[in-house]
mmCIF file with all atom_site columns, all heavy atoms in Angstrom:
data_model
loop_
_atom_site.group_PDB
_atom_site.id
_atom_site.type_symbol
_atom_site.label_atom_id
_atom_site.label_alt_id
_atom_site.label_comp_id
_atom_site.label_asym_id
_atom_site.label_entity_id
_atom_site.label_seq_id
_atom_site.pdbx_PDB_ins_code
_atom_site.Cartn_x
_atom_site.Cartn_y
_atom_site.Cartn_z
_atom_site.occupancy
_atom_site.B_iso_or_equiv
_atom_site.pdbx_formal_charge
_atom_site.auth_seq_id
_atom_site.auth_comp_id
_atom_site.auth_asym_id
_atom_site.auth_atom_id
_atom_site.pdbx_PDB_model_num
ATOM 1   N N   . ALA A 1 1  ? 111.346 95.827  113.307 1.00 95.00 ? 20 ALA A N   1
ATOM 2   C CA  . ALA A 1 1  ? 112.112 96.378  112.140 1.00 95.00 ? 20 ALA A CA  1
ATOM 3   C C   . ALA A 1 1  ? 113.162 95.365  111.671 1.00 95.00 ? 20 ALA A C   1
ATOM 4   O O   . ALA A 1 1  ? 113.714 94.571  112.465 1.00 95.00 ? 20 ALA A O   1
ATOM 5   C CB  . ALA A 1 1  ? 112.872 97.654  112.612 1.00 95.00 ? 20 ALA A CB  1
ATOM 6   N N   . SER A 1 2  ? 113.397 95.334  110.403 1.00 90.00 ? 21 SER A N   1
ATOM 7   C CA  . SER A 1 2  ? 114.390 94.476  109.797 1.00 90.00 ? 21 SER A CA  1
ATOM 8   C C   . SER A 1 2  ? 114.793 95.043  108.416 1.00 90.00 ? 21 SER A C   1
ATOM 9   O O   . SER A 1 2  ? 114.099 95.871  107.903 1.00 90.00 ? 21 SER A O   1
ATOM 10  C CB  . SER A 1 2  ? 113.933 93.010  109.670 1.00 90.00 ? 21 SER A CB  1
ATOM 11  O OG  . SER A 1 2  ? 112.829 92.973  108.729 1.00 90.00 ? 21 SER A OG  1
ATOM 12  N N   . ALA A 1 3  ? 115.921 94.566  107.929 1.00 90.00 ? 22 ALA A N   1
ATOM 13  C CA  . ALA A 1 3  ? 116.399 94.924  106.626 1.00 90.00 ? 22 ALA A CA  1
ATOM 14  C C   . ALA A 1 3  ? 117.110 93.816  105.940 1.00 90.00 ? 22 ALA A C   1
ATOM 15  O O   . ALA A 1 3  ? 117.626 92.938  106.614 1.00 90.00 ? 22 ALA A O   1
ATOM 16  C CB  . ALA A 1 3  ? 117.311 96.170  106.726 1.00 90.00 ? 22 ALA A CB  1
ATOM 17  N N   . ARG A 1 4  ? 117.075 93.802  104.642 1.00 87.00 ? 23 ARG A N   1
ATOM 18  C CA  . ARG A 1 4  ? 117.665 92.719  103.813 1.00 87.00 ? 23 ARG A CA  1
ATOM 19  C C   . ARG A 1 4  ? 118.751 93.243  102.963 1.00 87.00 ? 23 ARG A C   1
ATOM 20  O O   . ARG A 1 4  ? 118.749 94.422  102.564 1.00 87.00 ? 23 ARG A O   1
ATOM 21  C CB  . ARG A 1 4  ? 116.652 91.978  103.020 1.00 87.00 ? 23 ARG A CB  1
ATOM 22  C CG  . ARG A 1 4  ? 115.536 91.296  103.836 1.00 87.00 ? 23 ARG A CG  1
ATOM 23  C CD  . ARG A 1 4  ? 114.425 90.757  102.957 1.00 87.00 ? 23 ARG A CD  1
ATOM 24  N NE  . ARG A 1 4  ? 113.323 90.239  103.693 1.00 87.00 ? 23 ARG A NE  1
ATOM 25  C CZ  . ARG A 1 4  ? 113.114 88.925  103.978 1.00 87.00 ? 23 ARG A CZ  1
ATOM 26  N NH1 . ARG A 1 4  ? 114.012 88.006  103.484 1.00 87.00 ? 23 ARG A NH1 1
ATOM 27  N NH2 . ARG A 1 4  ? 112.111 88.488  104.648 1.00 87.00 ? 23 ARG A NH2 1
ATOM 28  N N   . ALA A 1 5  ? 119.662 92.383  102.596 1.00 91.00 ? 24 ALA A N   1
ATOM 29  C CA  . ALA A 1 5  ? 120.680 92.681  101.612 1.00 91.00 ? 24 ALA A CA  1
ATOM 30  C C   . ALA A 1 5  ? 120.927 91.365  100.843 1.00 91.00 ? 24 ALA A C   1
ATOM 31  O O   . ALA A 1 5  ? 121.752 90.531  101.206 1.00 91.00 ? 24 ALA A O   1
ATOM 32  C CB  . ALA A 1 5  ? 121.987 93.191  102.192 1.00 91.00 ? 24 ALA A CB  1
ATOM 33  N N   . GLN A 1 6  ? 120.124 91.123  99.837  1.00 91.00 ? 25 GLN A N   1
ATOM 34  C CA  . GLN A 1 6  ? 120.125 89.820  99.151  1.00 91.00 ? 25 GLN A CA  1
ATOM 35  C C   . GLN A 1 6  ? 121.121 89.805  97.993  1.00 91.00 ? 25 GLN A C   1
ATOM 36  O O   . GLN A 1 6  ? 121.378 90.826  97.347  1.00 91.00 ? 25 GLN A O   1
ATOM 37  C CB  . GLN A 1 6  ? 118.740 89.485  98.731  1.00 91.00 ? 25 GLN A CB  1
ATOM 38  C CG  . GLN A 1 6  ? 117.750 89.195  99.800  1.00 91.00 ? 25 GLN A CG  1
ATOM 39  C CD  . GLN A 1 6  ? 116.416 88.829  99.339  1.00 91.00 ? 25 GLN A CD  1
ATOM 40  O OE1 . GLN A 1 6  ? 115.719 89.551  98.608  1.00 91.00 ? 25 GLN A OE1 1
ATOM 41  N NE2 . GLN A 1 6  ? 115.912 87.653  99.752  1.00 91.00 ? 25 GLN A NE2 1
ATOM 42  N N   . GLY A 1 7  ? 121.629 88.655  97.725  1.00 94.00 ? 26 GLY A N   1
ATOM 43  C CA  . GLY A 1 7  ? 122.547 88.456  96.606  1.00 94.00 ? 26 GLY A CA  1
ATOM 44  C C   . GLY A 1 7  ? 123.639 87.428  96.979  1.00 94.00 ? 26 GLY A C   1
ATOM 45  O O   . GLY A 1 7  ? 123.781 87.068  98.124  1.00 94.00 ? 26 GLY A O   1
ATOM 46  N N   . PRO A 1 8  ? 124.395 87.073  95.985  1.00 95.00 ? 27 PRO A N   1
ATOM 47  C CA  . PRO A 1 8  ? 125.519 86.136  96.260  1.00 95.00 ? 27 PRO A CA  1
ATOM 48  C C   . PRO A 1 8  ? 126.504 86.749  97.218  1.00 95.00 ? 27 PRO A C   1
ATOM 49  O O   . PRO A 1 8  ? 126.837 87.928  97.117  1.00 95.00 ? 27 PRO A O   1
ATOM 50  C CB  . PRO A 1 8  ? 126.221 85.966  94.837  1.00 95.00 ? 27 PRO A CB  1
ATOM 51  C CG  . PRO A 1 8  ? 125.111 86.363  93.839  1.00 95.00 ? 27 PRO A CG  1
ATOM 52  C CD  . PRO A 1 8  ? 124.271 87.383  94.556  1.00 95.00 ? 27 PRO A CD  1
ATOM 53  N N   . ILE A 1 9  ? 126.962 85.920  98.188  1.00 95.00 ? 28 ILE A N   1
ATOM 54  C CA  . ILE A 1 9  ? 127.793 86.495  99.206  1.00 95.00 ? 28 ILE A CA  1
ATOM 55  C C   . ILE A 1 9  ? 129.061 87.127  98.730  1.00 95.00 ? 28 ILE A C   1
ATOM 56  O O   . ILE A 1 9  ? 129.539 88.083  99.283  1.00 95.00 ? 28 ILE A O   1
ATOM 57  C CB  . ILE A 1 9  ? 128.101 85.392  100.266 1.00 95.00 ? 28 ILE A CB  1
ATOM 58  C CG1 . ILE A 1 9  ? 128.625 85.981  101.564 1.00 95.00 ? 28 ILE A CG1 1
ATOM 59  C CG2 . ILE A 1 9  ? 129.080 84.304  99.683  1.00 95.00 ? 28 ILE A CG2 1
ATOM 60  C CD1 . ILE A 1 9  ? 128.586 85.050  102.758 1.00 95.00 ? 28 ILE A CD1 1
ATOM 61  N N   . ALA A 1 10 ? 129.595 86.614  97.612  1.00 96.00 ? 29 ALA A N   1
ATOM 62  C CA  . ALA A 1 10 ? 130.876 87.207  97.035  1.00 96.00 ? 29 ALA A CA  1
ATOM 63  C C   . ALA A 1 10 ? 130.598 88.538  96.412  1.00 96.00 ? 29 ALA A C   1
ATOM 64  O O   . ALA A 1 10 ? 131.567 89.223  96.138  1.00 96.00 ? 29 ALA A O   1
ATOM 65  C CB  . ALA A 1 10 ? 131.383 86.196  95.985  1.00 96.00 ? 29 ALA A CB  1
ATOM 66  N N   . GLU A 1 11 ? 129.323 88.910  96.222  1.00 96.00 ? 30 GLU A N   1
ATOM 67  C CA  . GLU A 1 11 ? 129.082 90.209  95.547  1.00 96.00 ? 30 GLU A CA  1
ATOM 68  C C   . GLU A 1 11 ? 128.345 91.208  96.406  1.00 96.00 ? 30 GLU A C   1
ATOM 69  O O   . GLU A 1 11 ? 128.074 92.293  95.974  1.00 96.00 ? 30 GLU A O   1
ATOM 70  C CB  . GLU A 1 11 ? 128.165 89.883  94.306  1.00 96.00 ? 30 GLU A CB  1
ATOM 71  C CG  . GLU A 1 11 ? 128.806 88.913  93.318  1.00 96.00 ? 30 GLU A CG  1
ATOM 72  C CD  . GLU A 1 11 ? 127.860 88.574  92.146  1.00 96.00 ? 30 GLU A CD  1
ATOM 73  O OE1 . GLU A 1 11 ? 126.840 89.194  92.051  1.00 96.00 ? 30 GLU A OE1 1
ATOM 74  O OE2 . GLU A 1 11 ? 128.226 87.638  91.445  1.00 96.00 ? 30 GLU A OE2 1
ATOM 75  N N   . LEU A 1 12 ? 128.123 90.845  97.699  1.00 95.00 ? 31 LEU A N   1
ATOM 76  C CA  . LEU A 1 12 ? 127.424 91.782  98.545  1.00 95.00 ? 31 LEU A CA  1
ATOM 77  C C   . LEU A 1 12 ? 128.197 93.037  98.902  1.00 95.00 ? 31 LEU A C   1
ATOM 78  O O   . LEU A 1 12 ? 129.441 92.900  99.128  1.00 95.00 ? 31 LEU A O   1
ATOM 79  C CB  . LEU A 1 12 ? 126.969 91.094  99.877  1.00 95.00 ? 31 LEU A CB  1
ATOM 80  C CG  . LEU A 1 12 ? 125.847 90.023  99.714  1.00 95.00 ? 31 LEU A CG  1
ATOM 81  C CD1 . LEU A 1 12 ? 125.680 89.307  101.061 1.00 95.00 ? 31 LEU A CD1 1
ATOM 82  C CD2 . LEU A 1 12 ? 124.560 90.703  99.308  1.00 95.00 ? 31 LEU A CD2 1
ATOM 83  N N   . ASP A 1 13 ? 127.591 94.176  98.936  1.00 96.00 ? 32 ASP A N   1
ATOM 84  C CA  . ASP A 1 13 ? 128.207 95.425  99.292  1.00 96.00 ? 32 ASP A CA  1
ATOM 85  C C   . ASP A 1 13 ? 128.308 95.477  100.837 1.00 96.00 ? 32 ASP A C   1
ATOM 86  O O   . ASP A 1 13 ? 127.357 95.351  101.512 1.00 96.00 ? 32 ASP A O   1
ATOM 87  C CB  . ASP A 1 13 ? 127.382 96.575  98.796  1.00 96.00 ? 32 ASP A CB  1
ATOM 88  C CG  . ASP A 1 13 ? 127.947 97.922  99.325  1.00 96.00 ? 32 ASP A CG  1
ATOM 89  O OD1 . ASP A 1 13 ? 129.064 98.274  98.972  1.00 96.00 ? 32 ASP A OD1 1
ATOM 90  O OD2 . ASP A 1 13 ? 127.199 98.579  100.095 1.00 96.00 ? 32 ASP A OD2 1
ATOM 91  N N   . PRO A 1 14 ? 129.553 95.612  101.401 1.00 96.00 ? 33 PRO A N   1
ATOM 92  C CA  . PRO A 1 14 ? 129.675 95.619  102.850 1.00 96.00 ? 33 PRO A CA  1
ATOM 93  C C   . PRO A 1 14 ? 128.858 96.596  103.578 1.00 96.00 ? 33 PRO A C   1
ATOM 94  O O   . PRO A 1 14 ? 128.326 96.317  104.667 1.00 96.00 ? 33 PRO A O   1
ATOM 95  C CB  . PRO A 1 14 ? 131.216 95.944  103.004 1.00 96.00 ? 33 PRO A CB  1
ATOM 96  C CG  . PRO A 1 14 ? 131.821 95.422  101.767 1.00 96.00 ? 33 PRO A CG  1
ATOM 97  C CD  . PRO A 1 14 ? 130.832 95.723  100.652 1.00 96.00 ? 33 PRO A CD  1
ATOM 98  N N   . GLU A 1 15 ? 128.752 97.847  103.043 1.00 96.00 ? 34 GLU A N   1
ATOM 99  C CA  . GLU A 1 15 ? 127.955 98.818  103.791 1.00 96.00 ? 34 GLU A CA  1
ATOM 100 C C   . GLU A 1 15 ? 126.486 98.503  103.763 1.00 96.00 ? 34 GLU A C   1
ATOM 101 O O   . GLU A 1 15 ? 125.700 98.762  104.724 1.00 96.00 ? 34 GLU A O   1
ATOM 102 C CB  . GLU A 1 15 ? 128.138 100.200 103.134 1.00 96.00 ? 34 GLU A CB  1
ATOM 103 C CG  . GLU A 1 15 ? 129.519 100.816 103.466 1.00 96.00 ? 34 GLU A CG  1
ATOM 104 C CD  . GLU A 1 15 ? 129.802 100.820 104.962 1.00 96.00 ? 34 GLU A CD  1
ATOM 105 O OE1 . GLU A 1 15 ? 128.910 101.262 105.750 1.00 96.00 ? 34 GLU A OE1 1
ATOM 106 O OE2 . GLU A 1 15 ? 130.870 100.388 105.391 1.00 96.00 ? 34 GLU A OE2 1
ATOM 107 N N   . THR A 1 16 ? 125.956 97.898  102.704 1.00 96.00 ? 35 THR A N   1
ATOM 108 C CA  . THR A 1 16 ? 124.573 97.463  102.694 1.00 96.00 ? 35 THR A CA  1
ATOM 109 C C   . THR A 1 16 ? 124.357 96.322  103.660 1.00 96.00 ? 35 THR A C   1
ATOM 110 O O   . THR A 1 16 ? 123.337 96.325  104.368 1.00 96.00 ? 35 THR A O   1
ATOM 111 C CB  . THR A 1 16 ? 124.211 97.003  101.264 1.00 96.00 ? 35 THR A CB  1
ATOM 112 O OG1 . THR A 1 16 ? 124.472 98.005  100.286 1.00 96.00 ? 35 THR A OG1 1
ATOM 113 C CG2 . THR A 1 16 ? 122.725 96.583  101.190 1.00 96.00 ? 35 THR A CG2 1
ATOM 114 N N   . VAL A 1 17 ? 125.295 95.419  103.775 1.00 96.00 ? 36 VAL A N   1
ATOM 115 C CA  . VAL A 1 17 ? 125.221 94.386  104.791 1.00 96.00 ? 36 VAL A CA  1
ATOM 116 C C   . VAL A 1 17 ? 125.255 94.936  106.209 1.00 96.00 ? 36 VAL A C   1
ATOM 117 O O   . VAL A 1 17 ? 124.517 94.586  107.113 1.00 96.00 ? 36 VAL A O   1
ATOM 118 C CB  . VAL A 1 17 ? 126.312 93.309  104.552 1.00 96.00 ? 36 VAL A CB  1
ATOM 119 C CG1 . VAL A 1 17 ? 126.341 92.313  105.695 1.00 96.00 ? 36 VAL A CG1 1
ATOM 120 C CG2 . VAL A 1 17 ? 126.130 92.598  103.200 1.00 96.00 ? 36 VAL A CG2 1
ATOM 121 N N   . ARG A 1 18 ? 126.213 95.911  106.390 1.00 97.00 ? 37 ARG A N   1
ATOM 122 C CA  . ARG A 1 18 ? 126.302 96.479  107.710 1.00 97.00 ? 37 ARG A CA  1
ATOM 123 C C   . ARG A 1 18 ? 124.928 97.177  108.137 1.00 97.00 ? 37 ARG A C   1
ATOM 124 O O   . ARG A 1 18 ? 124.506 97.008  109.286 1.00 97.00 ? 37 ARG A O   1
ATOM 125 C CB  . ARG A 1 18 ? 127.342 97.619  107.687 1.00 97.00 ? 37 ARG A CB  1
ATOM 126 C CG  . ARG A 1 18 ? 127.655 98.207  109.106 1.00 97.00 ? 37 ARG A CG  1
ATOM 127 C CD  . ARG A 1 18 ? 128.422 99.530  108.954 1.00 97.00 ? 37 ARG A CD  1
ATOM 128 N NE  . ARG A 1 18 ? 129.700 99.350  108.237 1.00 97.00 ? 37 ARG A NE  1
ATOM 129 C CZ  . ARG A 1 18 ? 130.840 98.985  108.781 1.00 97.00 ? 37 ARG A CZ  1
ATOM 130 N NH1 . ARG A 1 18 ? 130.867 98.798  110.106 1.00 97.00 ? 37 ARG A NH1 1
ATOM 131 N NH2 . ARG A 1 18 ? 131.960 98.870  108.103 1.00 97.00 ? 37 ARG A NH2 1
ATOM 132 N N   . ASN A 1 19 ? 124.278 97.840  107.228 1.00 96.00 ? 38 ASN A N   1
ATOM 133 C CA  . ASN A 1 19 ? 123.023 98.498  107.519 1.00 96.00 ? 38 ASN A CA  1
ATOM 134 C C   . ASN A 1 19 ? 121.953 97.443  107.826 1.00 96.00 ? 38 ASN A C   1
ATOM 135 O O   . ASN A 1 19 ? 121.115 97.621  108.768 1.00 96.00 ? 38 ASN A O   1
ATOM 136 C CB  . ASN A 1 19 ? 122.551 99.343  106.363 1.00 96.00 ? 38 ASN A CB  1
ATOM 137 C CG  . ASN A 1 19 ? 121.177 99.969  106.592 1.00 96.00 ? 38 ASN A CG  1
ATOM 138 O OD1 . ASN A 1 19 ? 121.046 100.885 107.427 1.00 96.00 ? 38 ASN A OD1 1
ATOM 139 N ND2 . ASN A 1 19 ? 120.219 99.499  105.854 1.00 96.00 ? 38 ASN A ND2 1
ATOM 140 N N   . ALA A 1 20 ? 121.948 96.321  107.069 1.00 96.00 ? 39 ALA A N   1
ATOM 141 C CA  . ALA A 1 20 ? 120.949 95.321  107.284 1.00 96.00 ? 39 ALA A CA  1
ATOM 142 C C   . ALA A 1 20 ? 121.054 94.690  108.635 1.00 96.00 ? 39 ALA A C   1
ATOM 143 O O   . ALA A 1 20 ? 120.053 94.509  109.376 1.00 96.00 ? 39 ALA A O   1
ATOM 144 C CB  . ALA A 1 20 ? 121.061 94.218  106.187 1.00 96.00 ? 39 ALA A CB  1
ATOM 145 N N   . ILE A 1 21 ? 122.316 94.441  109.043 1.00 97.00 ? 40 ILE A N   1
ATOM 146 C CA  . ILE A 1 21 ? 122.551 93.837  110.425 1.00 97.00 ? 40 ILE A CA  1
ATOM 147 C C   . ILE A 1 21 ? 122.196 94.906  111.514 1.00 97.00 ? 40 ILE A C   1
ATOM 148 O O   . ILE A 1 21 ? 121.592 94.553  112.532 1.00 97.00 ? 40 ILE A O   1
ATOM 149 C CB  . ILE A 1 21 ? 124.002 93.322  110.539 1.00 97.00 ? 40 ILE A CB  1
ATOM 150 C CG1 . ILE A 1 21 ? 124.253 92.238  109.534 1.00 97.00 ? 40 ILE A CG1 1
ATOM 151 C CG2 . ILE A 1 21 ? 124.236 92.925  111.977 1.00 97.00 ? 40 ILE A CG2 1
ATOM 152 C CD1 . ILE A 1 21 ? 125.693 91.835  109.479 1.00 97.00 ? 40 ILE A CD1 1
ATOM 153 N N   . ALA A 1 22 ? 122.542 96.099  111.214 1.00 97.00 ? 41 ALA A N   1
ATOM 154 C CA  . ALA A 1 22 ? 122.198 97.177  112.233 1.00 97.00 ? 41 ALA A CA  1
ATOM 155 C C   . ALA A 1 22 ? 120.702 97.273  112.445 1.00 97.00 ? 41 ALA A C   1
ATOM 156 O O   . ALA A 1 22 ? 120.328 97.446  113.580 1.00 97.00 ? 41 ALA A O   1
ATOM 157 C CB  . ALA A 1 22 ? 122.761 98.540  111.703 1.00 97.00 ? 41 ALA A CB  1
ATOM 158 N N   . VAL A 1 23 ? 119.909 97.287  111.386 1.00 97.00 ? 42 VAL A N   1
ATOM 159 C CA  . VAL A 1 23 ? 118.471 97.440  111.550 1.00 97.00 ? 42 VAL A CA  1
ATOM 160 C C   . VAL A 1 23 ? 117.889 96.196  112.195 1.00 97.00 ? 42 VAL A C   1
ATOM 161 O O   . VAL A 1 23 ? 117.082 96.294  113.166 1.00 97.00 ? 42 VAL A O   1
ATOM 162 C CB  . VAL A 1 23 ? 117.770 97.678  110.174 1.00 97.00 ? 42 VAL A CB  1
ATOM 163 C CG1 . VAL A 1 23 ? 116.231 97.680  110.313 1.00 97.00 ? 42 VAL A CG1 1
ATOM 164 C CG2 . VAL A 1 23 ? 118.230 98.957  109.589 1.00 97.00 ? 42 VAL A CG2 1
ATOM 165 N N   . SER A 1 24 ? 118.245 95.008  111.761 1.00 97.00 ? 43 SER A N   1
ATOM 166 C CA  . SER A 1 24 ? 117.609 93.800  112.282 1.00 97.00 ? 43 SER A CA  1
ATOM 167 C C   . SER A 1 24 ? 118.079 93.483  113.702 1.00 97.00 ? 43 SER A C   1
ATOM 168 O O   . SER A 1 24 ? 117.303 92.979  114.530 1.00 97.00 ? 43 SER A O   1
ATOM 169 C CB  . SER A 1 24 ? 118.049 92.593  111.435 1.00 97.00 ? 43 SER A CB  1
ATOM 170 O OG  . SER A 1 24 ? 117.433 92.683  110.111 1.00 97.00 ? 43 SER A OG  1
ATOM 171 N N   . ALA A 1 25 ? 119.373 93.787  114.060 1.00 98.00 ? 44 ALA A N   1
ATOM 172 C CA  . ALA A 1 25 ? 119.876 93.303  115.372 1.00 98.00 ? 44 ALA A CA  1
ATOM 173 C C   . ALA A 1 25 ? 120.249 94.488  116.283 1.00 98.00 ? 44 ALA A C   1
ATOM 174 O O   . ALA A 1 25 ? 119.791 94.517  117.415 1.00 98.00 ? 44 ALA A O   1
ATOM 175 C CB  . ALA A 1 25 ? 121.105 92.429  115.117 1.00 98.00 ? 44 ALA A CB  1
#
């Protein structure tokens, strides 16, 4: 399982990033 949250780092949504890290790691 893995998840992505692509886009410029200055524009990434924190909750989307949190979920991506949760799924992948």
